[in-house]
Amino acid sequence: VFYCTNTDAIEIIDDIAPDEKDIVVDKYRWSAFYKTSLELFLQSIGAKNLIIGGLVTDGCLMTSVIDGYYRDFQIHLVKDMCATTCEGGHMASIMIMANWVYGIRIYNAEQMVRCLKGQDYSVWESTKAAPFHFTPENMRREYSRLDTEAIRIQDNQVPRGL
């Protein structure tokens, strides 16, 4: 199934539907960068940081995060603005990105809003390779480290370009 604009295959909730002035990039594979104009558009506006959330955490979202990282964007992942078909897939893919997307910053939505408003906020930031050694038995405990190890950022330290 492909979801493209101007077809019956999509329905967008009115509250988040794009306005006429919004730029819409159709994607045809998992990654938002694969054979789309997204990278060209982001370069044209001088973007350095990407705030990412979305559906299919262990598919579309993860491939888009990795492709953005490969293109030297600073990734800001909002983990509670992501979802997939099962909790384990969601948690595992967030931790895989935390392990291997060096420098990724992982937020809760509330903390991202605080960041964008220039207020104090908390964020988990990757500082080394593979900080999460998770197994099926310890996955929930390891996943909770994203919140318990979040660092507090003082106001007026919004990442440049957000």
Side-chain angles (χ1 to χ4, degrees):
V1 176
F2 294 92
Y3 301 94
C4 300
T5 55
N6 302 321
T7 70
D8 293 336
I10 67 161
E11 291 182 33
I12 299 176
I13 299 168
D14 289 340
D15 290 344
I16 61 170
D19 289 333
E20 289 180 17
K21 66 182 184 303
D22 290 336
I23 295 169
V24 176
V25 177
D26 281 330
K27 67 183 195 73
Y28 305 96
R29 296 292 188 268
W30 283 11
S31 173
F33 289 94
Y34 182 77
K35 293 190 177 182
T36 70
S37 60
L38 181 58
E39 182 177 13
L40 181 63
F41 169 72
L42 292 170
Q43 288 174 341
S44 75
I45 63 169
K48 303 285 184 217
N49 294 273
L50 299 181
I51 300 171
I52 299 182
L55 297 176
V56 193
T57 313
D58 50 354
C60 299
L61 185 109
M62 187 161 58
T63 57
S64 296
V65 164
I66 291 169
D67 280 355
Y69 167 69
Y70 289 162
R71 289 163 171 80
D72 296 321
F73 290 102
Q74 172 63 55
I75 304 298
H76 301 268
L77 177 62
V78 185
K79 69 181 174 71
D80 55 345
M81 284 180 32
C82 308
T84 196
T85 56
C86 67
E87 180 185 21
H90 171 75
M91 291 169 59
S93 46
I94 296 286
M95 291 191 299
I96 287 167
M97 289 182 276
N99 275 346
W100 301 113
V101 178
Y102 304 136
I104 192 171
R105 299 185 97 193
I106 300 176
Y107 304 74
N108 290 323
E110 178 185 347
Q111 297 303 315
M112 175 51 73
V113 170
R114 292 180 62 80
C115 170
L116 293 172
K117 288 181 174 181
Q119 300 171 345
D120 292 356
Y121 64 95
S122 296
V123 62
W124 184 88
E125 186 171 10
S126 171
T127 58
K128 64 181 181 177
F132 293 97
H133 296 276
F134 60 94
T135 66
E137 294 77 24
N138 72 3
M139 183 180 284
R140 279 195 178 86
R141 184 189 76 228
E142 289 294 297
Y143 185 79
S144 72
R145 289 178 44 206
L146 292 166
D147 293 324
T148 60
E149 294 180 4
I151 57 171
R152 191 84 177 146
I153 307 292
Q154 300 301 311
D155 61 306
N156 297 323
Q157 290 189 14
V158 176
R160 195 171 154 177
L162 283 184

